[in-house]
Amino acid sequence: MILKKYLADRILNALNQINLQGIEVAVDRTQNPEFGHYTSSVSFNLSKVLKKSPYEIAKGIVEKLDDPLGLIDRIEIKGGFINFFLKETAFHLVIREIIKERANYGRSNEGQGEKVQIEFVSANPSGPLHVGNGRGGALGDVLASIFEWFGYAVEREFYVNDVGTQMNLLALSVEARMKELLGMPFEFPEEGYHGEYIKDIARLAIENFGDNIWNLPQEERLERIKEFAKDTILEWQRKDLEDFGIRFDCWYKESTLHKKNLLKEAFDILKANGYTYEKDGAVWFASTRFGDEKDRVLIKSDGSSTYFLADIAYHLDKYRRGFSRIIDIWGADHYGYVARMKAGVEALGYDPNTLELIIYQIVHLFRGGSAVRMSKRAGEMVTLRELLDEVGKDAARYFFVMRDPNSQLDFDIDLAKTQSANNPVYYVQYAFARCCSLFRQAEARGIEIERMFDCDLSYLRDPLEIELMITLEDFPDILKNAFYNRAPHRLTFYLESLAKSFHSFYNSLRILQEDEPIMYARMALVFATQQVIKNGLDIIGVSAPERM
RNA sequence: GCGCCCAUAGCUCAGGUGGAUAGAGCAACAGACUUCUAAUCUGUGGGUCGCGGGUUCGAGUCCUGCUGGGCGCGCCA
């Protein structure tokens, strides 16, 4: 980014001299070496305003262009594009920058410590996490890291729906399985949870409670079973997420909202603002006034509140906790709630633009080339735990963030498991391990590794070296791109291209050798590469193994 | 029926704010290890960017109408 920024600044400077301010200048990498290292198409954008041809404008800009650091070798104007050919010394600045910044290369403080909350996963405590939760988890966690890299104070939060009929159903389901295991007559609840894990909980519950539980009145017994089942499942989820590399700053329980009387408070605000009305014995929220398709019920005719009201209360609480930006990450099946949620916060009096809803599409698992069938109803979901046990944390995280959240994800379990070139995770990790191995080798040979930090980089001039340096230069830009577009997958694509660049370089140019000036310069390049791969993998939450 | 997402090479997918000849991985084929890790590299072939219009210097990208697939449209949670 330092080079692109430098060139953009040069153009801005030149535009200033012809009295043009506030223009957005983009400088990009080129696809074709014929067009130089970097290019800008500003002249096309200015052509309308200035009523001159792009070529004339480009010429005007180039005439006024300065080069205080002396990085530009030559400039060509082709069809209005301004093509920059840089001297090799320009790219050496990138290496210097990385050596200076190290683990901070790519960071920015533009968030200035602003408080941001990202809420994700938030699975119901009615069963183990499934693979869909894995995608939401990886996406949320990586986005959170990216926000941190941009200087935001990020809180990761998990919302626990520990209230409502589903919890009662859970208790009834477990109780039934307990009776079954004990050989007692039992009746399985109509809409109960059928998964095998219910039997596991039942087994644990029998162990935990002993025979005494059956002496309690049913209501109390179910209450105890409910608490036990919920805690057991939450513990499973917490453990799964930890093994998945995710640690939440806060597990926020819905029951807390009730204890703090926040549902009533939120309701009163909506009412006071005139957005509620009664109809058919229920109380409604006029969300259509904020663009929702239809109005929504807040309080049902039986007097109980809806899940939606709890959600409004929850968001009220989020704002009160001082977050200036709130991000909810939801699966595609929750898309229908986006409009009403936005309407909710707006009706509470907050700027709906500070609430961001990120929707990710569903995950399909593939094994042996065919889709793995899953049925939520029958409780036949592939759990996150099973996936983790099978493919490991690194592959799982990488694969989940590998795709645009807007696209459905085909997760190829076989591919994630292969320890070969086909697996992009290994490909990237291997590049890192190679760097490490090289420094081990250097150490074994008694090479004074430290000398690379202030060596003469002018020996880096091979096209493969230049290409690698240009790729390294790109990292902060890619990160910015991933940040602004909430698109972590751009990072995985970048890392693969960086690894590719490195492997090509490594394969055809000798690093450790007799010629010391060349050796140290190349070692510095390897060091920079190693650092950037590490930074990228850190953000994704994938390990960078020193040996493979 | 309505809303949203998706459609790019045989397969899986990249292609912020419109920029030059649309890219990568896999698969296929042909090559490269006495030398720093071959979990690597080099080369070849492969395309009506779902279809039709439109906007403009320029469209895979923006608008519009279709087609096909996914998700959602409860006083469920």
Side-chain angles (χ1 to χ4, degrees), chain A residues 481-498:
Chain A
N481 189 307
F483 171 69
Y484 278 112
N485 294 290
R486 315 296 190 230
H489 68 285
R490 305 224 167 126
L491 222 40
T492 62
F493 279 91
Y494 171 77
L495 286 174
E496 283 163 48
S497 71
L498 175 57

Side-chain angles (χ1 to χ4, degrees), chain A residues 142-163:
Chain A
V142 176
L143 265 180
S145 296
I146 293 175
F147 267 81
E148 284 166 348
W149 272 64
F150 279 79
Y152 290 86
V154 182
E155 190 196 274
R156 292 165 168 84
E157 181 153 308
F158 186 119
Y159 181 56
V160 184
N161 293 117
D162 61 342
V163 178

Side-chain angles (χ1 to χ4, degrees), chain A residues 126-337:
Chain A
S126 55
L129 299 174
H130 53 83
V131 291
N133 298 128
R135 185 174 195 188
L139 179 62
D141 195 48
V142 176
L143 265 180
S145 296
I146 293 175
F147 267 81
E148 284 166 348
W149 272 64
F150 279 79
Y152 290 86
V154 182
E155 190 196 274
R156 292 165 168 84
E157 181 153 308
F158 186 119
Y159 181 56
V160 184
N161 293 117
D162 61 342
V163 178
T165 50
Q166 51 172 357
M167 288 292 95
N168 297 330
L169 267 177
L170 175 67
L172 285 169
S173 305
V174 172
E175 188 201 36
R177 291 303 181 205
M178 288 169 77
K179 287 179 177 168
E180 183 183 20
L181 284 166
L182 294 170
M184 299 161 70
F186 73 99
E187 211 174 308
F188 202 80
E190 186 85 5
E191 300 282 319
Y193 294 98
H194 289 83
E196 276 299 305
Y197 66 92
I198 295 293
K199 293 177 188 169
D200 297 335
I201 298 172
R203 229 165 270 130
L204 292 168
I206 289 169
E207 238 173 78
N208 181 67
F209 291 119
D211 296 334
N212 293 334
I213 187 99
W214 304 108
N215 298 328
L216 297 171
Q218 198 196 19
E219 199 177 322
E220 194 179 336
R221 176 167 64 241
L222 283 173
E223 200 53 41
R224 296 223 185 158
I225 292 173
K226 189 203 288 184
E227 282 304 302
F228 179 80
K230 185 191 75 187
D231 290 344
T232 303
I233 290 173
L234 275 176
E235 183 50 28
W236 286 349
Q237 295 184 343
R238 195 198 57 73
K239 182 73 169 61
D240 289 353
L241 288 164
E242 187 181 303
D243 292 345
F244 193 41
I246 300 175
R247 177 156 286 182
F248 284 93
D249 300 299
C250 178
W251 292 70
Y252 197 103
K253 290 184 176 162
E254 183 186 347
S255 52
T256 308
L257 297 171
H258 291 87
K259 277 181 205 147
K260 287 165 80 175
N261 211 20
L262 276 167
L263 275 77
K264 180 168 185 333
E265 234 181 291
F267 178 78
D268 287 346
I269 294 173
L270 298 184
K271 191 175 176 186
N273 289 346
Y275 299 126
T276 63
Y277 64 90
E278 284 186 45
K279 193 182 88 181
D280 304 333
V283 185
W284 297 69
F285 168 44
S287 56
T288 45
R289 287 166 65 177
F290 303 97
D292 195 8
E293 293 180 334
K294 49 181 92 164
D295 290 345
R296 310 291 173 178
V297 171
L298 296 171
I299 298 175
K300 300 181 237 176
S301 50
D302 67 1
S304 63
S305 51
T306 59
Y307 178 88
F308 178 46
L309 177 56
D311 253 349
I312 294 175
Y314 179 39
H315 284 74
L316 173 64
D317 187 76
K318 289 185 183 194
Y319 280 104
R320 286 190 174 166
R321 280 186 274 160
F323 297 107
S324 55
R325 176 159 295 273
I326 290 170
I327 299 176
D328 296 349
I329 297 180
W330 295 348
D333 54 340
H334 287 78
Y335 178 79
Y337 300 82

Side-chain angles (χ1 to χ4, degrees), chain A residues 1 5 9 20 35 58 60 72 85 98 150 190 202 272 288 319 437 471 474 477 480 514 525-526 534 537 544:
Chain A
M1 186 152 79
K5 173 117 180 22
D9 286 346
L20 278 173
F35 301 143
I72 301 170
F85 294 77
I98 297 168
F150 279 79
E190 186 85 5
T288 45
Y319 280 104
S437 160
T471 305
D474 237 1
D477 231 24
K480 200 172 169 182
E514 296 296 310
L525 178 55
V526 173
K534 174 83 169 87
L537 288 176

Side-chain angles (χ1 to χ4, degrees), chain A residues 408-421:
Chain A
Q408 295 187 17
L409 171 65
D410 288 345
F411 193 119
D412 185 336
I413 295 178
D414 299 324
L415 176 60
K417 274 164 69 177
T418 34
Q419 304 205 352
S420 82

